[in-house]
Amino acid sequence: MKPAPRILSYEGGFKTRPYQERFKYSMDFTLTDDDKRTLLRAARDSIASSFKGSQVKAPEPASPDISKNLATPCGAFVTLTKHGDLRGCIGYVEAEYPLYETVVQAAKAAAFQDSRFAPVTMSELEEVEIEISALTPPHTVASYCNIEIGRHGIIMSKHGRRALFLPQVASERGWDIATTLTHLAMKAGISPDGWREGAQFEVFEALVFGEES
């Protein structure tokens, strides 16, 4: 017997990261509550439609269903969790496509293309919660000393290897900068202390919101 489909009311239905209130986002636009609800619906519909052999596509820019904010090119990540555990996370740093389209594609990729996990199944989709991170453009910083935990997402590069943490990763785990960069170095496949010399860093900010449990 197939489980009943998950029904979400987005009328009050998203949560934001409380620590983000301390920071100002360097975005050229803001997201309204309606924008956030639209993106969360689109992300879930994108995953669900894949089981039906169809695809969710972004509305045309002139469509009344899409706001100017959602039509603005923007990088974004979609994070999937199940009972509090990570179930998939994929996104696009560069602002190559409208935010709506970026979220639609990232949601499907997080569900089915994250090599760390088996693809999400139809039967478990109702147990999966979705979080979206809309990103500011990354910029280079001179040193890891310029990185602010909780505010900055981090991209570290060294010897052709590269790894990324979203801003919420360190805050959720209670990591300081040294612990964060140690884990990021290992994610990049370099030595745990490889971040101390010869690494390059880029930072970005993110507006993070997710489905209400």
Side-chain angles (χ1 to χ4, degrees), residues 38-188:
T38 297
L39 290 174
L40 288 168
R41 287 193 193 100
R44 181 164 291 276
D45 289 347
S46 176
I47 298 170
S49 69
S50 298
F51 296 114
K52 303 173 184 177
S54 61
Q55 292 185 346
V56 175
K57 297 182 179 179
E60 294 298 323
S63 168
D65 298 329
I66 187 169
S67 70
K68 181 180 179 181
N69 296 337
L70 302 188
T72 300
C74 184
F77 272 69
V78 173
T79 302
L80 309 179
T81 57
K82 180 180 176 182
H83 306 311
D85 295 324
L86 184 64
R87 190 61 182 83
C89 181
I90 287 183
Y92 307 94
V93 176
E94 302 299 333
E96 297 185 14
Y97 303 100
L99 177 56
Y100 187 104
E101 183 176 347
T102 302
V103 166
V104 165
Q105 297 303 322
K108 288 191 292 186
F112 306 115
Q113 297 174 21
D114 190 329
S115 60
R116 298 170 294 177
F117 305 95
V120 171
T121 64
M122 182 185 297
S123 62
E124 69 176 321
L125 181 56
E126 66 178 49
E127 302 176 75
V128 171
E129 292 191 8
I130 297 172
E131 181 177 87
I132 295 171
S133 302
L135 311 185
T136 64
H139 65 275
T140 302
V141 292
S143 165
Y144 61 81
C145 297
N146 301 113
I147 299 171
E148 189 171 347
I149 292 296
R151 175 180 184 178
H152 289 141
I154 311 166
I155 304 170
M156 184 176 67
S157 305
K158 185 176 181 179
H159 299 327
R161 296 180 178 272
R162 196 167 186 251
L164 175 150
F165 276 158
L166 294 171
Q168 58 267 40
V169 170
S171 295
E172 289 174 349
R173 290 160 176 78
W175 291 344
D176 59 15
I177 186 64
T179 304
T180 301
L181 295 181
T182 297
H183 282 278
L184 189 57
M186 292 189 291
K187 183 179 180 181

